[in-house]
Amino acid sequence: MTKRKGADSEETKEAILWAAAEEFYECGYEKASLRHICSRAGVTTGAVYCFYDSKEDLLANVMLPIFKIVSAISIDYDKVLKDDFTAFVEFQKFFSANRKLYHILYSNMNNPVISGYLSVIVNEFGSQIMDMAHKAMPDNKELPTEFDGYISKCLAPIMVYSIIKIIAEETDDSIVTQRLITTVMVYKNGILSLLK
């Protein structure tokens, strides 16, 4: 089936994504119904299949804005090492505006679409943890043997899931920001203690 073109098709796609997000948020992915999504969007099932291959494809597209922004996060560890967390305050603004999507993500972390994206994010955070550790070391000094890639791979998922949990469960933006900063400080200080 060919995809439709034009402004109407973009509006239809947006309506379907909005309806799917609402359905996934209220019912969970497993209990979400394509029929209900169509009803919310005011479209036929054929219109949904014109743009999306399946309910799983819909979920992937609903979550795409989060995965794009999280994948683009590049933490300036020079600032983090100096306790400058302004980047997290900026990220939190995006998170707050998309809280329902984080709730969907948090509630469906075992879904293959979401777990696949999370694996990529966790690997990136693992690399960033190693980068921070290298930046924290004095010149010409190697990382201690007990701090290796394995440790960063263990810490990364805990950090990513902690951040997602905070954003998904807390509704007060100032508390979210403070908890994000506290989480990062705990990890930073723990890593630095290993490097002494």
Side-chain angles (χ1 to χ4, degrees):
M1 187 179 288
T2 12
K3 311 267 185 210
R4 292 182 299 169
K5 295 181 180 171
D8 287 345
S9 64
E10 284 307 309
E11 288 173 16
T12 302
K13 280 175 73 173
E14 288 302 314
I16 293 168
L17 287 178
W18 171 85
E22 291 296 312
E23 182 76 4
F24 296 150
Y25 177 74
E26 291 175 14
C27 304
Y29 175 78
E30 292 301 323
K31 293 182 180 175
S33 156
L34 278 178
R35 189 177 64 222
H36 290 153
I37 292 169
C38 292
S39 176
R40 285 177 190 255
V43 299
T44 64
T45 307
V48 171
Y49 284 115
C50 182
F51 297 110
Y52 305 102
D53 297 330
S54 61
K55 187 166 85 167
E56 193 171 77
D57 188 30
L58 259 176
L59 178 64
N61 280 279
V62 164
M63 300 311 297
L64 196 58
I66 285 185
F67 295 124
K68 280 184 178 177
I69 195 78
V70 172
S71 298
I73 291 173
S74 179
I75 299 170
D76 184 343
Y77 285 107
D78 288 330
K79 288 184 177 181
V80 170
L81 289 167
K82 294 174 187 167
D83 292 333
D84 178 349
F85 300 104
T86 51
F88 290 92
V89 175
E90 290 303 311
F91 298 144
Q92 190 272 325
K93 289 177 187 174
F94 173 83
F95 300 152
S96 294
N98 294 281
R99 196 171 311 281
K100 281 185 180 180
L101 294 183
Y102 278 91
H103 180 78
I104 294 167
L105 178 124
Y106 181 64
S107 301
N108 295 283
M109 286 197 283
N110 291 328
N111 180 284
V113 169
I114 291 177
S115 64
Y117 279 124
L118 287 177
S119 293
V120 172
I121 292 164
V122 164
N123 287 338
E124 178 58 27
F125 266 81
S127 297
Q128 290 184 16
I129 288 169
M130 289 301 291
D131 289 346
M132 184 182 77
H134 283 290
K135 285 183 180 210
M137 293 302 293
D139 290 340
N140 301 321
K141 201 165 178 202
E142 293 293 318
L143 288 173
T145 54
E146 63 269 15
F147 190 86
D148 58 13
Y150 180 80
I151 293 298
S152 70
K153 286 180 183 174
C154 290
L155 292 175
I158 298 167
M159 185 173 181
V160 169
Y161 295 132
S162 298
I163 290 169
I164 291 169
K165 182 176 176 64
I166 290 166
I167 294 165
E169 292 185 344
E170 182 55 62
T171 56
D172 183 308
D173 288 348
S174 62
I175 293 173
V176 169
T177 301
Q178 187 52 54
R179 287 184 178 163
L180 289 176
I181 291 170
T182 301
T183 300
V184 173
M185 285 177 64
V186 166
Y187 283 100
K188 179 198 84 159
N189 293 332
I191 291 165
L192 291 179
S193 72
L194 288 173
L195 303 180
K196 288 182 179 177

